[in-house]
Amino acid sequence: MTGIPLLIVFCLAIILMIVAISKFHIHPFLSLMGTSLVLAVVVGLPLEKIPGIIGSGFSGVFSSIGIVIILGALIGLILEKTGAAIRLADVVIRFVGEKHPQLALMLMGWIVSIPVFCDSGFVILNPIRKALCRKLKGASPAGMAVALSAGLYAAHVFIPPTPGPIAAAGSLGLADHLAGVILAGVIASVPALAAAYIFSLYIAKKDISVHADEKESPDTEKSYEELVAGFGKLPGAFSSFAPIVIPVILMALGSFVSMIGLQGSSAVLCKFFATPIIALTVGLLLAVRLLVSTHTMNRFAAITDETLKTVGPILFVTAAGGVLGKVITAAGFVEFMKANAAFLSSVGIFFPFLISAILKTAQGSSTVAITTTAGIMGMYTDSASMMSALGLQSEMAALLTVMAIGAGAMTVSHANDSYFWVVTNFTGLDPQDGYRTQSMMTLVVGIVSMVSIFLASLVLL
């Protein structure tokens, strides 16, 4: 099958997948695998080759970024359970000061969500938000919730070791260049956070009421100082930051060694510690030290179990996205795209953003949107991938594509997104006000982020 019929079948396959996930509530893993199999048969791939195509697409993800995702998630959960995440938040509050509460909450969320899932991050930091609202008379609970949510969300979709960006990096061929992905994510966060901060100030001026939760814990009635003290002896600031910062430094050091052309045993050692698996293993060891210092080492096995249960579905959905990408390539869709390169060059970096935004809006999960879109795009070094068809064949193009996918995965959060309900319920917002705040914030931030990425592509590509 070639030409327009192939394009129509591809579009129908994407629609089938979205409907299966959002309408019939079939798990994304099964939806992706089923769509891949149906697409492979309908486009006429040789039946004897289909199992091999599915197997190679599935195994490729585990061999590239599976362990990295597990290590990153485990570090994040340890920071959460030991109170290190609260220490990170406390450092931000002391640095920014209470004169700019929305900025403080936004930066607090942004830092905490680098290792911790945004849903968990909001639950962890929401008591601090409430305590600050009580301490600062006249502060807008809705405006501060928007600021906190935006900070968490930006890191969640842009910056490893959050599973989504790691999975996207691996799928696009950047598994060994996570330091670059982290740097790109930090830079991409700047316009996103700026837009979110302005929007939060706008929301703060609106008359948006919040209602108290009848099941609210008495702890949330404490002052900010009492709340922090309630966690007992928190880990030190250096110990709390180390599991995040040290791996980034190691990966950056490896890139620097390669850039200056250093040779010898010292260069080999630096490059060894710079590989994402080893760098994050060092981060994990530093996180385990937090368990020892907080006398909670007996919880390590339970934390590991919880981590594996959390990242398991993410890994499988990521692998299923890799299968769909392989089937799309084998079906000749990329060749069709290359034949229409003149048109596609005008779409360029917007293509992954649009696919990710459609998937996000349709089925709700940012991680599923990121991993699925990345699987469709394929590796930038593969001449038969969608990246190649779009002319995105450099490492810089791949970095910007990861960011474009992340921007799309923010656009938009609404009723089918669990994070939407976490934010609205813990803030005390009615669903309609949730659309005015959380949903509109993700729309504004997603569009501003994509425009910024597009402008960057005009200079860098």
Side-chain angles (χ1 to χ4, degrees):
M1 185 180 293
T2 59
I4 297 301
L6 181 63
L7 179 62
I8 293 173
V9 169
F10 171 73
C11 292
L12 290 175
I14 298 299
I15 292 171
L16 172 65
M17 178 186 66
I18 292 172
V19 170
I21 295 172
S22 59
K23 178 69 174 177
F24 296 104
H25 306 292
I26 298 174
H27 194 280
F29 171 74
L30 295 177
S31 299
L32 281 163
M33 292 297 291
T35 299
S36 301
L37 181 58
V38 170
L39 180 61
V41 173
V42 170
V43 299
L45 292 180
L47 295 180
E48 66 274 13
K49 292 185 177 181
I50 292 176
I53 292 170
I54 291 175
S56 63
F58 193 85
S59 61
V61 169
F62 283 90
S63 63
S64 60
I65 44 86
I67 297 174
V68 174
I69 289 178
I70 293 171
L71 291 174
L74 185 53
I75 291 170
L77 194 57
I78 291 175
L79 294 181
E80 177 184 334
K81 299 297 185 182
T82 57
I86 295 295
R87 171 62 73 194
L88 298 180
D90 187 50
V91 169
V92 174
I93 286 288
R94 294 178 186 278
F95 179 76
V96 177
E98 296 178 357
K99 293 183 179 180
H100 307 284
Q102 280 149 292
L103 180 61
L105 281 167
M106 181 178 294
L107 293 177
M108 180 195 307
W110 183 73
I111 291 173
V112 168
S113 195
I114 291 174
V116 177
F117 284 93
C118 61
D119 304 63
S120 300
F122 196 92
V123 174
I124 294 168
L125 300 178
N126 189 56
I128 294 178
R129 178 191 67 82
K130 290 185 175 181
L132 287 175
C133 284
R134 285 191 298 273
K135 184 174 184 177
L136 306 174
K137 302 302 181 183
S140 166
M144 293 178 73
V146 166
L148 175 58
S149 172
L152 289 160
Y153 219 9
H156 182 74
V157 300
F158 286 136
I159 307 176
T162 306
I166 289 182
S171 296
L172 269 63
L174 296 171
D176 293 328
H177 303 280
L178 283 185
V181 180
I182 291 170
L183 178 60
V186 170
I187 295 172
S189 296
V190 173
L193 295 178
Y197 182 62
I198 293 171
F199 184 77
S200 71
L201 295 177
Y202 166 78
I203 290 297
K205 296 177 182 178
K206 298 294 180 180
D207 184 21
I208 299 178
S209 60
V210 298
H211 54 81
D213 186 353
E214 293 179 358
K215 298 179 180 179
E216 210 167 40
S217 167
D219 288 344
T220 60
E221 297 303 323
K222 295 178 180 178
S223 69
Y224 170 71
E225 291 77 11
E226 290 172 333
L227 182 66
V228 173
F231 282 88
K233 183 175 175 55
L234 293 175
F238 176 80
S239 298
S240 299
F241 276 98
I244 308 171
V245 175
I246 298 301
V248 174
I249 293 175
L250 290 174
M251 288 186 280
L253 180 62
S255 299
F256 177 73
V257 166
S258 298
M259 184 176 66
I260 64 174
L262 186 66
Q263 302 295 325
S265 57
S266 58
V268 172
L269 187 63
C270 287
K271 291 178 180 178
F272 169 75
F273 280 103
T275 55
I277 289 178
I278 303 302
L280 285 173
T281 298
V282 172
L284 177 60
L285 293 175
L286 293 170
V288 170
R289 184 171 172 272
L290 289 172
L291 291 172
V292 174
S293 65
T294 56
H295 308 291
T296 53
M297 191 65 190
N298 60 324
R299 301 176 62 190
F300 189 27
I303 291 172
T304 304
D305 282 341
E306 186 176 343
T307 299
L308 294 175
K309 290 175 183 177
T310 301
V311 303
I314 295 171
L315 282 172
F316 287 124
V317 169
T318 303
V323 171
L324 181 59
K326 279 286 185 182
V327 170
I328 289 171
T329 300
F333 183 75
V334 173
E335 294 302 319
F336 170 77
M337 301 284 276
K338 286 180 178 178
N340 296 272
F343 166 74
L344 288 173
S345 63
S346 64
V347 179
I349 200 73
F350 280 98
F351 182 83
F353 168 79
L354 292 172
I355 295 295
S356 183
I358 290 170
L359 290 170
K360 165 64 181 176
T361 303
Q363 53 78 40
S365 169
S366 294
T367 303
V368 170
I370 291 173
T371 55
T372 304
T373 306
I376 291 173
M377 296 302 295
M379 292 195 177
Y380 78 95
T381 54
D382 184 358
S383 60
S385 70
M386 191 74 76
M387 292 288 288
S388 176
L390 291 165
L392 303 170
Q393 295 175 284
S394 66
E395 184 177 327
M396 180 58 67
L399 285 171
L400 291 175
T401 301
V402 173
M403 297 303 108
I405 292 171
M410 273 196 282
T411 319
V412 295
S413 173
H414 61 99
N416 63 357
D417 180 9
S418 63
Y419 188 51
F420 173 86
W421 294 110
V422 168
V423 173
T424 54
N425 287 338
F426 277 84
T427 305
L429 293 168
D430 292 325
Q432 286 302 116
D433 287 330
Y435 294 133
R436 294 172 58 193
T437 55
Q438 173 70 3
S439 297
M440 283 302 299
M441 179 273 290
T442 57
L443 177 62
V444 169
V445 173
I447 292 174
V448 169
S449 297
M450 188 57 230
V451 170
S452 302
I453 293 163
F454 171 69
L455 293 175
S457 72
L458 295 178
V459 177
L460 299 173
L461 300 183

